[in-house]
Amino acid sequence: MFLPFRMPLPENHCNHIVKRVKMIDNDNKDSSSRVAVRVDRIKTTERMASMKVLIVPMFARATTSGPWSRALAISKALDDAGHEILMGVATDGNCDSPAGMATFQIPAPSPLGLPSFLSRNMLPALSKLGVVGKVRIKSFEEVLHFAGALDYRYICDSVEPIRKAIRRFSPDAIYSEVNISAILAARIEGVPVFGSSSYTTRKAYASAPKYASGVRRFISEFSLPPINSSLELFDWLERKFIPSTPSLEPVDDPNVVYCGFMKKPVDFDERQRKDLILVYMGNGSVSSKKLEKTLTEVFSDSDYSGYKVIVAGSKGKKRIGNIFFEKRAEFSRLFPRTKVFINHGGQNSMMDGISYCVPQIVFPSKAFERNFNAQSLERVGAGINLSAKGLNPDSLHEALSAIESNEAYYKDNARSLKEELISLGCTDTIIRTMLDVLDRA
């Protein structure tokens, strides 16, 4: 078993930063001292006009587009603004780096910390059978445990390459897209760390400290501040950026910054004919067999014969009447024509639907954060939550009828949410906040 090398914190992790001149005699501030301080602040502002940021998304063997897509959005925004980026990647099946992106390799975790040869085919098989959607997960700590991110051996193996990248790249800041190894590495190396957050990733929402023993062991060996739950590591972030709005995720925390959409919505013509019903159920929310049976029974009804139903993310490509099962779908092309978006309640899916002002029908299965998203969306009148009734022909037909009879209500609420999310500044808010915090450091 690999034991981490104990390394003391460097005396000054950013020697290249111009140090501010201290006033030795506060009662006798001569003009030269004032000039020195002013000049130093100008130098600091100039330096921070361009940051070096190391970004590390969460990795998981399961198919999940959320963390990687958000990391890409932040990376692109920083790059477009003239900052230098280094992205951590892993061979987990989710990372797909754009050409020219500077990257470094981090090991991918193995589900439950099991040997790779046991876990390699486990998740795809469980997902195909719909077992994943039947497992009740109550906290983000359980998600990290299931992904293998809390395993002691994995923490050791993942923190080390991040620390090496920090020493080589000398970043001004680390950005953790819910990656705890990045937070630990940043703390050990003494580099400011920022990151994404949400209502449901907080310990105050739900936690499972029994799974954090590996994290606590690692923290103890490096003499870092003790924790009980691994979710307490997110309290080490300089700022916690929530890609949402207080209307959907009300959090009372002075270090929380709402940024709205991670990607600014594209302009589109709302007057386009709405002739599509779009379906995306993610990974394992419901078995493909049950989904196909439900959709076939509902959309064989003559009331929906005029709609083309697109089921994105299917295992194979096929057609049943007016239902088209597709492995991939170009959502930006489909959403302007979409009348209703049926989805699993993932953060990205929910935001996509809002950005195109599309009423949503959400079946979140037993995933805690998706249940919260579905409840929030229904609470603000932008969608219908099927968590209580389940996904079946009767519940889906009822939800479709409710939206049909009151479509303007759902669309207007989605439009209001969109405007609120845009007003929060998107990734510009993240960049501006990071610069402000670093400039004050």
Side-chain angles (χ1 to χ4, degrees):
M1 181 181 295
F2 171 76
L3 292 177
F5 172 67
R6 186 183 297 272
M7 177 181 175
L9 294 178
E11 292 181 3
N12 188 348
H13 69 275
C14 48
N15 290 322
H16 58 287
I17 296 177
V18 180
K19 294 182 179 179
R20 296 187 175 180
V21 178
K22 293 183 178 179
M23 300 291 189
I24 297 177
D25 185 356
N26 290 329
D27 295 326
N28 185 23
K29 299 177 181 178
D30 60 26
S31 60
S32 62
S33 294
R34 287 195 294 271
V35 169
V37 172
R38 181 176 179 277
V39 169
D40 178 72
R41 285 175 179 163
I42 291 173
K43 287 181 180 179
T44 304
T45 301
E46 289 175 350
R47 182 189 71 81
M48 292 318 302
S50 178
M51 293 183 290
K52 296 176 71 176
V53 182
L54 188 150
I55 303 173
V56 186
M58 174 186 170
F59 305 118
R61 298 282 183 183
T63 302
T64 173
S65 61
W68 177 247
S69 64
R70 289 190 290 272
L72 280 182
I74 296 166
S75 172
K76 184 179 186 306
L78 285 164
D79 184 64
D80 289 346
H83 305 288
E84 189 176 349
I85 305 303
L86 179 63
M87 177 79 84
V89 297
T91 53
D92 65 346
N94 296 306
C95 298
D96 185 15
S97 308
M101 173 181 280
T103 63
F104 71 100
Q105 198 71 31
I106 302 172
S110 180
L112 299 172
L114 296 172
S116 295
F117 71 90
L118 287 177
S119 63
R120 188 176 296 115
N121 298 313
M122 181 177 69
L123 280 178
L126 293 177
S127 176
K128 186 176 181 180
L129 294 170
V131 174
V132 174
K134 296 177 181 178
V135 177
R136 182 170 294 280
I137 299 176
K138 300 178 181 178
S139 71
F140 188 62
E141 196 151 27
E142 291 177 53
V143 172
L144 294 174
H145 166 66
F146 188 77
L150 301 184
D151 179 68
Y152 172 77
R153 291 164 298 181
Y154 175 71
I155 294 171
C156 295
D157 291 343
S158 57
V159 167
E160 187 60 22
I162 300 173
R163 291 181 63 193
K164 288 179 179 178
I166 290 171
R167 295 176 211 150
R168 184 175 66 252
F169 184 57
S170 298
D172 297 299
I174 313 297
Y175 194 97
S176 164
E177 177 53 51
V178 292
N179 187 300
I180 64 167
S181 294
I183 298 173
L184 290 168
R187 188 64 178 251
I188 293 170
E189 295 296 326
V191 181
V193 56
F194 301 80
S196 298
S197 184
S198 71
Y199 188 93
T200 57
T201 56
R202 301 172 307 130
K203 178 187 174 185
Y205 177 77
S207 65
K210 63 182 180 180
Y211 296 127
S213 59
V215 182
R216 290 193 292 268
R217 175 182 173 186
F218 183 90
I219 281 175
S220 175
E221 290 172 351
F222 277 83
S223 300
L224 297 175
I227 62 165
N228 182 35
S229 164
S230 63
L231 302 186
E232 293 174 48
L233 294 177
F234 295 117
D235 292 331
W236 294 4
L237 299 173
E238 298 283 345
R239 294 293 184 274
K240 309 167 193 176
F241 298 104
I242 297 184
S244 185
T245 167
S247 297
L248 293 170
E249 300 188 42
V251 176
D252 184 14
D253 184 335
N255 284 330
V256 159
V257 178
Y258 290 92
C259 57
F261 293 111
M262 277 295 191
K263 293 186 290 184
K264 295 176 182 177
V266 298
D267 293 328
F268 72 101
D269 185 359
E270 274 197 66
R271 297 170 298 178
Q272 289 187 57
R273 181 187 175 195
K274 307 300 180 183
D275 58 352
L276 298 180
I277 293 175
L278 185 58
V279 181
Y280 177 72
M281 297 307 295
N283 179 53
S285 296
V286 59
S287 71
S288 54
K289 184 177 180 180
K290 179 180 179 180
L291 179 62
E292 181 178 316
K293 182 178 183 298
T294 299
L295 296 178
T296 302
E297 186 169 336
V298 171
F299 293 114
S300 61
D301 192 310
S302 60
D303 289 346
Y304 303 103
S305 59
Y307 293 98
K308 184 177 181 180
V309 182
I310 306 292
V311 185
S314 300
K315 299 299 181 184
K317 185 174 182 177
K318 64 179 178 179
R319 176 181 178 179
I320 302 176
N322 63 333
I323 306 173
F324 295 78
F325 294 84
E326 304 284 352
K327 287 184 177 181
R328 297 181 181 276
E330 192 176 340
F331 288 100
S332 60
R333 182 178 60 83
L334 299 175
F335 266 121
R337 296 168 51 198
T338 298
K339 186 177 183 66
V340 180
F341 181 31
I342 302 168
N343 65 81
H344 65 321
Q347 178 76 4
N348 285 9
S349 296
M350 181 175 70
M351 290 299 171
D352 284 344
I354 293 171
S355 70
Y356 286 93
C357 308
V358 178
Q360 301 181 48
I361 297 173
V362 183
F363 174 65
S365 187
K366 295 185 178 181
F368 70 100
E369 82 285 3
R370 295 173 187 172
N371 267 283
F372 175 82
N373 290 340
Q375 292 165 11
S376 298
L377 201 65
E378 185 170 64
R379 174 171 46 80
V380 298
I384 294 176
N385 175 19
L386 295 184
S387 61
K389 297 181 179 179
L391 182 66
N392 56 65
D394 290 339
S395 66
L396 183 54
H397 202 290
E398 182 182 340
L400 287 164
S401 298
I403 288 177
E404 177 69 30
S405 62
N406 207 0
E407 185 176 8
Y409 167 79
Y410 291 102
K411 293 187 72 170
D412 288 346
N413 287 329
R415 191 177 298 108
S416 296
L417 269 179
K418 176 183 178 179
E419 292 170 358
E420 183 181 351
L421 287 159
I422 291 174
S423 72
L424 293 169
C426 308
T427 48
D428 290 344
T429 295
I430 295 177
I431 296 172
R432 184 175 63 254
T433 302
M434 291 177 67
L435 285 167
D436 289 346
V437 172
L438 293 175
D439 186 47
R440 290 197 299 267

